[in-house]
Amino acid sequence: MARSRVVLDGPSNLGLRPPVEGTVPGCYKLAGALRDQGIVTRIGAADAGCVVPPRYDRGCWKPGDGVFNAAAMASYSVRLADRVGSLVDDDKFVVLLGGECSNLLGPALALKRRGRYGVVYLDGHSDMRTVDNDEYVGAAGGEALALVTGRGQGDLTDLEGLSPYVRDTDAVMLGYREDESYLETLEEAGIPHWSALNIIEDPAAAASGVLTHLERAELDGFWVHLDVDILDAAIMPAVDSPDPGGIDHAQLQTLLHPLLASQKCVGIDIGIYDPDLDPEQVYAAELTDTLVAALS
């Protein structure tokens, strides 16, 4: 029997650089935009409310200071983990509306408290940036897969002494472009990966490969993370880092549907779409249609 669904808002923008100095990233409006498109009723979900994030304030941060907004992000991740965990305990399928990619820390922590879970990381970038492979870190949104697999500063990677939240063997990464900067780190970790071109060639085969890896008996389940910049820039330009060479909506739907239908999947978070870059809500409507179809 299918689990009942809940929609939870996690509108954190703490892990992105400001689009223009003196402003804040607009991805915190994602939840409102998708709700305006009727996502809650269209997927037959209950409303689980909102976990309100702390204020976005980089203060006097400068390159070399580590991840900005780290303390706020850590406290927020614990509160988000509490809420997601309680929903999972009630056997709900969680649809978490972000936000940006560091939102994954909350669900990852929640699930690590409960057992051994994997993560499906769908993103136009690997987000495996660390101090070991780049000059400096800063925006956690570009480091989220590294953080949940235990790479990075301890105040984010080792909350409650539970590092890593996801083992390398229990993660998969899909959607990066051919010029991915941190592919070597991904390969050194042994994390299975599919580029955007691999998905374009056969999205169903990519999904099948993911399920073969993550529906193993030793895993209690898995979580799906979706950064919508996995979509081609011409299809989804309303993101902070749009790139060509991505997949289209039909391919994303084909990829997502079997993953979300798996009895091992406990939830999904959606992030990075920025309504400030979509004043007519054209891309919000298309994204919502794709998500509704994938959850049908």
PDB file of all heavy atoms in Angstrom, residues 198-208 250-252 254-255 258:
ATOM      1  N   ASN A 198      24.442  10.643 -20.139  1.00  0.00           N
ATOM      2  CA  ASN A 198      24.025   9.261 -19.878  1.00  0.00           C
ATOM      3  C   ASN A 198      22.513   9.178 -19.681  1.00  0.00           C
ATOM      4  O   ASN A 198      21.863   8.251 -20.172  1.00  0.00           O
ATOM      5  CB  ASN A 198      24.705   8.712 -18.628  1.00  0.00           C
ATOM      6  CG  ASN A 198      26.204   8.588 -18.737  1.00  0.00           C
ATOM      7  OD1 ASN A 198      26.915   8.741 -17.747  1.00  0.00           O
ATOM      8  ND2 ASN A 198      26.710   8.320 -19.941  1.00  0.00           N
ATOM      9  N   ILE A 199      21.967  10.143 -18.956  1.00  0.00           N
ATOM     10  CA  ILE A 199      20.531  10.148 -18.694  1.00  0.00           C
ATOM     11  C   ILE A 199      19.763  10.417 -19.974  1.00  0.00           C
ATOM     12  O   ILE A 199      18.743   9.762 -20.256  1.00  0.00           O
ATOM     13  CB  ILE A 199      20.182  11.194 -17.622  1.00  0.00           C
ATOM     14  CG1 ILE A 199      20.891  10.875 -16.303  1.00  0.00           C
ATOM     15  CG2 ILE A 199      18.668  11.240 -17.393  1.00  0.00           C
ATOM     16  CD1 ILE A 199      20.840  12.001 -15.291  1.00  0.00           C
ATOM     17  N   ILE A 200      20.228  11.375 -20.764  1.00  0.00           N
ATOM     18  CA  ILE A 200      19.557  11.703 -22.017  1.00  0.00           C
ATOM     19  C   ILE A 200      19.476  10.477 -22.915  1.00  0.00           C
ATOM     20  O   ILE A 200      18.456  10.220 -23.567  1.00  0.00           O
ATOM     21  CB  ILE A 200      20.290  12.862 -22.724  1.00  0.00           C
ATOM     22  CG1 ILE A 200      20.072  14.169 -21.953  1.00  0.00           C
ATOM     23  CG2 ILE A 200      19.819  13.019 -24.174  1.00  0.00           C
ATOM     24  CD1 ILE A 200      20.986  15.302 -22.377  1.00  0.00           C
ATOM     25  N   GLU A 201      20.544   9.691 -22.931  1.00  0.00           N
ATOM     26  CA  GLU A 201      20.575   8.483 -23.772  1.00  0.00           C
ATOM     27  C   GLU A 201      19.527   7.470 -23.343  1.00  0.00           C
ATOM     28  O   GLU A 201      18.881   6.835 -24.182  1.00  0.00           O
ATOM     29  CB  GLU A 201      21.972   7.852 -23.715  1.00  0.00           C
ATOM     30  CG  GLU A 201      23.039   8.648 -24.442  1.00  0.00           C
ATOM     31  CD  GLU A 201      24.434   8.103 -24.190  1.00  0.00           C
ATOM     32  OE1 GLU A 201      24.557   7.094 -23.460  1.00  0.00           O
ATOM     33  OE2 GLU A 201      25.398   8.690 -24.708  1.00  0.00           O
ATOM     34  N   ASP A 202      19.312   7.326 -22.018  1.00  0.00           N
ATOM     35  CA  ASP A 202      18.352   6.325 -21.542  1.00  0.00           C
ATOM     36  C   ASP A 202      18.019   6.591 -20.076  1.00  0.00           C
ATOM     37  O   ASP A 202      18.616   6.000 -19.167  1.00  0.00           O
ATOM     38  CB  ASP A 202      18.919   4.916 -21.703  1.00  0.00           C
ATOM     39  CG  ASP A 202      17.850   3.840 -21.584  1.00  0.00           C
ATOM     40  OD1 ASP A 202      16.796   4.130 -20.966  1.00  0.00           O
ATOM     41  OD2 ASP A 202      18.069   2.727 -22.082  1.00  0.00           O
ATOM     42  N   PRO A 203      17.065   7.493 -19.811  1.00  0.00           N
ATOM     43  CA  PRO A 203      16.732   7.809 -18.422  1.00  0.00           C
ATOM     44  C   PRO A 203      16.186   6.615 -17.644  1.00  0.00           C
ATOM     45  O   PRO A 203      16.441   6.482 -16.441  1.00  0.00           O
ATOM     46  CB  PRO A 203      15.694   8.930 -18.544  1.00  0.00           C
ATOM     47  CG  PRO A 203      15.192   8.866 -19.942  1.00  0.00           C
ATOM     48  CD  PRO A 203      16.304   8.320 -20.758  1.00  0.00           C
ATOM     49  N   ALA A 204      15.460   5.736 -18.309  1.00  0.00           N
ATOM     50  CA  ALA A 204      14.927   4.564 -17.620  1.00  0.00           C
ATOM     51  C   ALA A 204      16.050   3.638 -17.162  1.00  0.00           C
ATOM     52  O   ALA A 204      15.992   3.066 -16.064  1.00  0.00           O
ATOM     53  CB  ALA A 204      13.947   3.819 -18.527  1.00  0.00           C
ATOM     54  N   ALA A 205      17.071   3.495 -17.991  1.00  0.00           N
ATOM     55  CA  ALA A 205      18.208   2.648 -17.614  1.00  0.00           C
ATOM     56  C   ALA A 205      18.966   3.254 -16.444  1.00  0.00           C
ATOM     57  O   ALA A 205      19.430   2.529 -15.553  1.00  0.00           O
ATOM     58  CB  ALA A 205      19.142   2.466 -18.812  1.00  0.00           C
ATOM     59  N   ALA A 206      19.100   4.580 -16.426  1.00  0.00           N
ATOM     60  CA  ALA A 206      19.758   5.237 -15.296  1.00  0.00           C
ATOM     61  C   ALA A 206      18.986   4.985 -14.009  1.00  0.00           C
ATOM     62  O   ALA A 206      19.567   4.653 -12.975  1.00  0.00           O
ATOM     63  CB  ALA A 206      19.883   6.734 -15.565  1.00  0.00           C
ATOM     64  N   ALA A 207      17.671   5.135 -14.055  1.00  0.00           N
ATOM     65  CA  ALA A 207      16.851   4.876 -12.876  1.00  0.00           C
ATOM     66  C   ALA A 207      16.986   3.429 -12.416  1.00  0.00           C
ATOM     67  O   ALA A 207      17.082   3.150 -11.214  1.00  0.00           O
ATOM     68  CB  ALA A 207      15.385   5.209 -13.172  1.00  0.00           C
ATOM     69  N   SER A 208      17.010   2.517 -13.370  1.00  0.00           N
ATOM     70  CA  SER A 208      17.159   1.098 -13.033  1.00  0.00           C
ATOM     71  C   SER A 208      18.499   0.831 -12.358  1.00  0.00           C
ATOM     72  O   SER A 208      18.586   0.073 -11.383  1.00  0.00           O
ATOM     73  CB  SER A 208      17.031   0.247 -14.303  1.00  0.00           C
ATOM     74  OG  SER A 208      17.226  -1.118 -14.017  1.00  0.00           O
ATOM     75  N   ALA A 250      10.665  15.674 -19.798  1.00  0.00           N
ATOM     76  CA  ALA A 250      10.242  14.297 -20.028  1.00  0.00           C
ATOM     77  C   ALA A 250      11.281  13.314 -19.479  1.00  0.00           C
ATOM     78  O   ALA A 250      10.926  12.282 -18.883  1.00  0.00           O
ATOM     79  CB  ALA A 250      10.014  14.061 -21.520  1.00  0.00           C
ATOM     80  N   GLN A 251      12.549  13.615 -19.701  1.00  0.00           N
ATOM     81  CA  GLN A 251      13.605  12.745 -19.187  1.00  0.00           C
ATOM     82  C   GLN A 251      13.650  12.762 -17.659  1.00  0.00           C
ATOM     83  O   GLN A 251      13.860  11.727 -17.024  1.00  0.00           O
ATOM     84  CB  GLN A 251      14.944  13.173 -19.785  1.00  0.00           C
ATOM     85  CG  GLN A 251      15.039  12.880 -21.272  1.00  0.00           C
ATOM     86  CD  GLN A 251      15.987  13.799 -22.024  1.00  0.00           C
ATOM     87  OE1 GLN A 251      16.509  14.778 -21.471  1.00  0.00           O
ATOM     88  NE2 GLN A 251      16.192  13.513 -23.297  1.00  0.00           N
ATOM     89  N   LEU A 252      13.433  13.946 -17.068  1.00  0.00           N
ATOM     90  CA  LEU A 252      13.403  14.021 -15.610  1.00  0.00           C
ATOM     91  C   LEU A 252      12.236  13.220 -15.048  1.00  0.00           C
ATOM     92  O   LEU A 252      12.384  12.499 -14.055  1.00  0.00           O
ATOM     93  CB  LEU A 252      13.296  15.484 -15.162  1.00  0.00           C
ATOM     94  CG  LEU A 252      13.233  15.713 -13.650  1.00  0.00           C
ATOM     95  CD1 LEU A 252      14.442  15.134 -12.938  1.00  0.00           C
ATOM     96  CD2 LEU A 252      13.102  17.206 -13.339  1.00  0.00           C
ATOM     97  N   THR A 254      10.790  10.608 -16.418  1.00  0.00           N
ATOM     98  CA  THR A 254      11.108   9.186 -16.590  1.00  0.00           C
ATOM     99  C   THR A 254      12.108   8.716 -15.557  1.00  0.00           C
ATOM    100  O   THR A 254      12.033   7.583 -15.059  1.00  0.00           O
ATOM    101  CB  THR A 254      11.654   8.941 -18.009  1.00  0.00           C
ATOM    102  OG1 THR A 254      10.665   9.334 -18.958  1.00  0.00           O
ATOM    103  CG2 THR A 254      12.001   7.481 -18.228  1.00  0.00           C
ATOM    104  N   LEU A 255      13.055   9.574 -15.222  1.00  0.00           N
ATOM    105  CA  LEU A 255      14.067   9.250 -14.214  1.00  0.00           C
ATOM    106  C   LEU A 255      13.455   9.174 -12.817  1.00  0.00           C
ATOM    107  O   LEU A 255      13.709   8.247 -12.041  1.00  0.00           O
ATOM    108  CB  LEU A 255      15.171  10.304 -14.266  1.00  0.00           C
ATOM    109  CG  LEU A 255      16.357  10.156 -13.306  1.00  0.00           C
ATOM    110  CD1 LEU A 255      17.137   8.890 -13.599  1.00  0.00           C
ATOM    111  CD2 LEU A 255      17.260  11.381 -13.408  1.00  0.00           C
ATOM    112  N   PRO A 258      10.213   5.977 -11.308  1.00  0.00           N
ATOM    113  CA  PRO A 258      10.508   4.709 -10.621  1.00  0.00           C
ATOM    114  C   PRO A 258      11.239   4.892  -9.297  1.00  0.00           C
ATOM    115  O   PRO A 258      11.080   4.073  -8.380  1.00  0.00           O
ATOM    116  CB  PRO A 258      11.365   3.940 -11.632  1.00  0.00           C
ATOM    117  CG  PRO A 258      11.917   4.979 -12.548  1.00  0.00           C
ATOM    118  CD  PRO A 258      10.911   6.073 -12.602  1.00  0.00           C
TER     119      PRO A 258
END
